[in-house]
């Protein structure tokens, strides 16, 4: 069973950086594609990034391309989201999720669908001040 716990959120000024971590304590981490989503108040959950189970393929929301980097370390059962050049519009709760191993072989329109991810963490708050 996948059990995801995020950390690394906080308050940062515009232009700053944060690195989020998500650890799976269930021990089956490498079986899953991993994603990061975010949810701002009164807004729907939004796909941010995903990484294949091997770590070799990555996918991003257009507005974070070139600023955010998703990566994973299967030996540590951890997925990361390095966030640079943060903007106030990046403010949200960031949530990691685990999905089927073959999810990242699908079109982007499929990869970004939250309903296809099976396991979710509780989230970590990221606040970017202007």
């Amino acid at each position: 069973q996948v059990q995801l716990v995020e950390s690394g959120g906080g308050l940062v000024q515009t232009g700053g950086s944060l690195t989020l971590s998500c650890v799976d304590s269930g021990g089956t981490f490498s079986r899953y594609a991993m994603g990061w989503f975010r949810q701002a108040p009164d807004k729907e959950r939004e796909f941010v990034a995903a990484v294949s189970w091997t770590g070799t393929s990555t996918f991003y929301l257009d507005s974070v391309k070139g600023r955010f980097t998703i990566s994973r370390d299967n030996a540590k059962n951890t997925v990361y989201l390095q966030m640079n050049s943060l903007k106030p519009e990046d403010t949200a709760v960031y949530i990691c999720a685990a999905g089927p191993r073959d999810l990242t072989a699908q079109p982007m329109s499929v990869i970004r669908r939250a309903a296809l991810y099976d396991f979710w963490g509780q989230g970590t708050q990221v606040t970017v001040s202007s």
Side-chain angles (χ1 to χ4, degrees), residues 39-57:
Q39 189 160 18
D42 300 322
K43 291 189 177 181
E44 291 188 356
R45 189 165 294 189
E46 176 182 54
F47 169 84
V48 176
V51 60
S52 61
W53 69 274
T54 60
T56 55
S57 298

Side-chain angles (χ1 to χ4, degrees), residues 50-104:
V51 60
S52 61
W53 69 274
T54 60
T56 55
S57 298
T58 57
F59 309 86
Y60 296 97
L61 177 69
D62 283 348
S63 63
V64 308
K65 283 181 181 177
R67 298 190 298 124
F68 291 11
T69 302
I70 188 171
S71 62
R72 67 189 296 161
D73 184 338
N74 286 345
K76 295 183 178 180
N77 294 336
T78 303
V79 61
Y80 304 96
L81 186 68
Q82 172 69 43
M83 305 186 295
N84 299 324
S85 303
L86 283 161
K87 305 175 181 180
E89 52 263 44
D90 295 319
T91 294
V93 174
Y94 283 70
I95 311 158
C96 70
R101 179 179 275 194
D102 64 351
L103 181 60
T104 52

Side-chain angles (χ1 to χ4, degrees), residues 104-115:
T104 52
Q106 306 302 317
M108 186 64 176
S109 60
V110 175
I111 294 170
R112 66 187 184 192
R113 289 177 59 190

Side-chain angles (χ1 to χ4, degrees), residues 9-13 18 86-88 90-92 94 125-129:
L11 173 64
V12 65
Q13 292 185 334
L18 284 173
L86 283 161
K87 305 175 181 180
D90 295 319
T91 294
Y94 283 70
Q125 177 71 45
V126 172
T127 303
V128 185
S129 63

